[in-house]
Amino acid sequence: MKSPAEDIETLAKLFGLSLDGNLPVVSPIDGRSAGLVVETTHEDATAKIELANSAFLHWRKVPAPRRGELVRLFGQLLREHKEPLAQLVTLECGKPISEGLGEVQEMIDICDFAVGLSRQLYGLTIASERPGHRMMESWHPLGVVGIISAFNFPVAVWAWNATLALVCGDPIVWKPSEKTPLVSLAVQAILAMAIEDFGKEAPEGLSSILIGGADLGQLLADHPAVSLVSATGSTAMGRSVGVRVAQRFGRSLLELGGNNASIVTPSADLDLALRACAFGFMGTAGQRCTSLRRLIVHESLHDDFVTRLRAAAASIRIGDPRDPATLVGPLVDEAAFEAMAATLSTARAAGGKVTGGERIEQEGVYVRPAIIEMPHQSGPALIETFAPILYVFRYAEFEDAIALLNGVPQGLSSSVFTNDMREAEFFTSATGSDCGIANVNIGTSGAEIGGAFGGEKETGGGRESGSDSWRAYMRRQTSTINYSRDLPLAQGVRFEL
């Protein structure tokens, strides 16, 4: 197998990308630099935002179904470039190649969704209390959409936002993670090809990219021409972005940390639950916002189920994510390992029994997944650590399990494994899970694009992808039309001249 640097050089040439710049491209597969890309200056970033604002004045006039045609062309090009793009995802963020292919497929899926959506940006007709009047609600393009994405899903989450924004009539300015610049530039190159095929109706500045660190994200959040900032990342990042955007009365869409939990009940299909929980906390090396962080098991099942889960964690295939047999790849960098090690140390000090968590001696940052049996849900169990760490708790009554599940600051994803209809219905009711995602007999991770994705509390409250998430990228307008010759006022108010 070639070195990551050799593979990256080959793929960079395929996408027409230069590796001569000032920002390192580092592959977590071996932790080595594989080239450099050009970092965007503040002056260039500001110019791109202002050009996007000018593009908005034209793009909003293009009919929505026609805007959907651009996204259709983009989706077709993604199909043609699926494999090399997936390889870049794997090389830059370290997820196994099957997950890299799945991420690009998610981009293709959201393109298909957005194309159909371009003919369904519907409003409402509302009954008026006044004779000879009609009320209606319309949705119009919003403006420039800034997208701040994270390293763990370097291109799919951008696509959730970008495809919907484009069909809604909004130009996009993308600030990807500085840990995954090359695959972001490759996607931008593919979209540029689609824009060229689309023709002159697509204005200059319709899509642009800002390569660099957090300072560019701050610039995007502060710029008054950016109508919406959609930011995916940590809760700390979201607090900063949300405040900065709110200070100028802009809109923000925040998809932040998740401290996700699953409940395993006595009636559960335990083989199914085991597979789901194993993938949930070990998949992507625990670096998904929907990764399983907490497991709540009925006391009658606890010991046997946790023993089986430990065995799975001890035997899972960990290694080079380019190998199709690999199920768990590396952590993204040394800082991720340091955070994991610190969390394990804190858990031990709090009385936790830790199994696994050892570093595997090879180039890159590879670790054995860790399972922690905690005496109480407190301390490190209340905080999201982006690593394959699973806290395990036991429960006696289902209501106690729900209280544990909800007893953290975050509220992204949750699941229950049960064949009891009452438990399933209670879990998804108003008094059950308080998360944005509440699954039954599947794990916490692996969402489809058809549903709205996001969560509550410190997860930020934003919704991306499917359902009616498109409304975040548009502005609502209510209109009252008087087609009579009279002028009755609402609520019976009289004003006679």
Side-chain angles (χ1 to χ4, degrees), residues 234-296:
S234 69
T235 297
M237 180 275 290
R239 281 198 177 97
S240 174
V241 169
V243 168
R244 299 180 87 103
V245 175
Q247 285 178 334
R248 60 176 179 84
F249 297 102
R251 290 194 201 176
S252 58
L253 192 167
L254 304 177
E255 200 284 287
L256 310 174
N259 192 356
N260 316 293
S262 289
I263 300 171
V264 180
T265 72
S267 68
D269 179 332
L270 296 181
D271 290 338
L272 182 149
L274 183 72
R275 294 196 304 273
C277 293
F279 172 72
F281 100 92
M282 292 188 281
T284 325
Q287 297 173 117
R288 291 182 178 223
C289 53
T290 54
S291 289
L292 180 63
R293 310 290 180 198
R294 297 173 295 129
L295 181 61
I296 304 163

Side-chain angles (χ1 to χ4, degrees), residues 70-113:
L70 170 59
V71 175
R72 188 195 69 79
L73 292 170
F74 179 51
Q76 182 57 41
L77 288 171
L78 287 174
R79 286 177 169 88
E80 295 171 11
H81 294 83
K82 180 177 178 179
E83 188 168 335
L85 194 58
Q87 290 170 354
L88 263 184
V89 169
T90 291
L91 286 160
E92 272 203 302
C93 81
K95 63 177 57 175
I97 187 61
S98 68
E99 295 186 39
L101 289 164
E103 177 158 357
V104 181
Q105 185 59 49
E106 196 165 355
M107 300 176 75
I108 294 166
D109 292 344
I110 196 64
C111 285
D112 290 347
F113 179 91

Side-chain angles (χ1 to χ4, degrees), residues 50-63:
E50 291 172 354
L51 185 59
N53 196 37
S54 297
F56 172 65
L57 302 179
H58 175 81
W59 189 240
R60 65 182 178 177
K61 299 177 187 177
V62 177

Side-chain angles (χ1 to χ4, degrees), residues 126-140:
I126 305 167
S128 172
E129 67 185 58
R130 291 171 281 188
H133 287 59
R134 178 171 65 87
M135 292 178 65
M136 67 178 185
E137 182 179 276
S138 302
W139 293 86
H140 298 305

